Amino acid sequence: MTQLALVIDLNVCVGCHACVTSCKEWNTSGWAGPLVDQNPYGASPTGTFFNRVQTFEVGTYPNTETVHFPKSCLHCEEPPCVPVCPTGASYKRPDNGVVLVDYDKCIGCKYCSWACPYGAREVDEEQKVMKKCTLCIDRITDAKLPERDRKPSCVLACPTSARLFGDVHDADSEVSVAIRERGGYQLMPEWGTKPANHYLPRQKTRMHIDPDELTRVDNPLRKEDLTTYTGEETLDDVAW
């Protein structure tokens, strides 16, 4: 069976949020929309997003690094959100493995969000239904589009090509090769959900820093007088 999925390269993701904005733009006006915002510009913005990028700083100074971690529905092969749905609104397409929500059947009970260990589902406060990443199903199945454009909007928008899309059950696909050759891994596999989406690990780089390199020689806060006055006239002493 075909299983479409994303493979996200954490080594080249720069946290630009192009995937977030392109996802919002495409889906709010498409099949899965609208994606409402209740308070988009306030101190505590709220709204519905299919894709979010979380940024962390890891390590201990001076050996720290910033990790940008995009997260959306993982389109699990054993999705726990599907069997708990009392109305059958949550389902997995048999032809491509994409997990979707039928808004006409959804009653907004949030059972699916409680069952999802990844926090990938959000309630639309205006429509009162559960929403999540659809892998831009209306785009990837649109035969009228050129084949190169039948990809999720986040994949097409990524400036660093950190997002790959394809069939993870096809051993020769781009995503399968990347997973196999670059150590791709699933998120929290211990839950037994078999996430279709995979992540490519960051490549660790180590830099040796001597302690004296942590102090700027020209630091203006230093109390030491770094100038050596010779008594000779300088440009600072000349009145023009």
Side-chain angles (χ1 to χ4, degrees):
M1 183 184 86
T2 299
Q3 177 61 65
L4 298 179
L6 296 173
V7 171
I8 300 173
D9 190 347
L10 299 179
N11 196 56
V12 296
C13 176
V14 296
C16 66
H17 288 248
C19 56
V20 178
T21 55
S22 64
C23 169
K24 187 87 165 183
E25 185 276 333
W26 174 266
N27 287 292
T28 197
S29 57
W31 172 83
L35 305 183
V36 300
D37 290 312
Q38 289 79 40
N39 183 28
Y41 304 111
S44 301
T46 58
T48 305
F49 288 83
F50 288 175
N51 178 48
R52 296 177 184 269
V53 177
Q54 300 173 335
T55 299
F56 307 92
E57 183 174 291
V58 297
T60 304
Y61 178 83
N63 298 312
T64 59
E65 57 182 326
T66 300
V67 176
H68 303 292
F69 195 89
K71 191 180 74 171
S72 60
C73 174
L74 302 175
H75 299 278
C76 303
E77 297 192 45
E78 298 291 340
C81 56
V82 171
V84 300
C85 181
T87 65
S90 291
Y91 66 100
K92 186 176 179 68
R93 283 183 56 146
D95 58 335
N96 54 30
V98 178
V99 178
L100 297 172
V101 178
D102 185 338
Y103 299 152
D104 292 333
K105 295 180 179 179
C106 181
I107 58 175
C109 66
K110 302 182 183 180
Y111 281 1
C112 58
S113 65
W114 295 337
C116 175
Y118 308 105
R121 292 186 172 228
E122 302 184 11
V123 62
D124 187 304
E125 294 295 344
E126 287 192 7
Q127 291 187 296
K128 304 300 181 183
V129 295
M130 303 306 296
K131 294 190 175 182
K132 55 173 285 301
C133 166
T134 67
L135 284 181
C136 294
I137 191 68
D138 52 337
R139 186 185 189 107
I140 64 177
T141 59
D142 188 351
K144 294 180 294 184
L145 290 175
E147 187 173 354
R148 66 177 182 274
D149 292 334
R150 292 181 216 162
K151 297 179 180 180
S153 59
C154 61
V155 175
L156 296 172
C158 182
T160 63
S161 299
R163 305 173 77 90
L164 307 176
F165 172 71
D167 180 8
V168 293
H169 284 181
D170 179 0
D172 298 322
S173 67
E174 181 184 19
V175 288
S176 293
V177 171
I179 293 170
R180 184 168 61 249
E181 296 184 353
R182 300 176 58 189
Y185 63 92
Q186 297 172 318
L187 190 62
M188 300 184 342
E190 64 273 14
W191 286 97
T193 60
K194 299 181 180 178
N197 286 7
H198 285 67
Y199 291 88
L200 302 181
R202 287 173 58 86
Q203 297 176 5
K204 296 288 186 178
T205 57
R206 298 299 180 188
M207 180 174 60
H208 177 71
I209 302 177
D210 291 319
D212 57 349
E213 293 181 294
L214 299 177
T215 304
R216 286 177 48 189
V217 175
D218 60 342
N219 190 339
L221 299 180
R222 290 187 62 182
K223 296 182 179 180
E224 296 89 346
D225 183 6
L226 300 180
T227 62
T228 302
Y229 184 64
T230 62
E232 298 177 0
E233 188 178 75
T234 68
L235 290 178
D236 293 331
D237 300 323
V238 176
W240 297 92

